[in-house]
Amino acid sequence: MSEPTRIAAPDGVFPAAQYTHVVTATGRLVAVSGQLPLDEDGKLVGAGDPAAQARQVFENLRRCLAAAGAGFEDVVKLTYFVTDMAHMPAVRAARAAHIPDDRLPASSAVQVAALVAPEVLMEVEALAVTAA
């Protein structure tokens, strides 16, 4: 894979602090479905606790990426689905434990009315590019 190119602020676009506007890379695409805050037995982690849920979601993302021979360094896009935008600081903290600020992927955050179960506060999906 080529090293991803990050364009933080294309001409005429206001720079973002929490993500990169454009990321390009060449290689094999890895798409990871939205991950929920469930442990390996399918039990919810962190009922009512956005920080605990975010940590579990990113651990699940890490495991899924590893299964495809990828890591967070290969992630070019994250999409966050949260039931309340107030959960985003917890999501960003969990992300920061895996992705340094100088390698932020392109990202989208969407507040939704509900996810698969009322106790689930967030879901995160990832796109990564690895060597072909």
Side-chain angles (χ1 to χ4, degrees):
M1 173 189 75
S2 66
E3 177 67 23
T5 300
R6 290 169 175 77
I7 305 168
D11 289 343
V13 177
F14 186 77
Q18 298 298 327
Y19 58 91
T20 299
H21 280 287
V22 180
V23 181
T24 65
T26 301
R28 181 176 59 94
L29 180 66
V30 176
V32 179
S33 293
Q35 294 300 298
L36 301 171
L38 304 176
D39 67 14
E40 60 192 22
D41 296 319
K43 294 181 182 152
L44 178 72
V45 172
D49 183 348
Q53 289 197 17
R55 286 190 301 271
Q56 184 65 44
V57 164
F58 273 84
E59 176 58 19
N60 291 347
L61 286 169
R62 184 194 67 73
R63 290 176 179 174
C64 289
L65 289 164
F72 281 105
E73 66 277 6
D74 301 309
V75 171
V76 295
K77 174 81 163 69
L78 290 170
T79 304
Y80 310 102
F81 301 94
V82 294
T83 57
D84 188 330
M85 282 295 172
H87 303 325
M88 286 306 296
V91 171
R92 289 185 192 112
R95 181 198 63 204
H98 297 279
I99 303 172
D101 285 347
D102 65 341
R103 298 187 58 82
L104 292 175
S107 298
S108 297
V110 181
Q111 182 172 321
V112 296
L115 290 163
V116 67
E119 308 83 23
V120 174
L121 305 177
M122 64 195 63
E123 180 174 335
V124 181
E125 63 184 27
L127 290 176
V129 178
T130 65

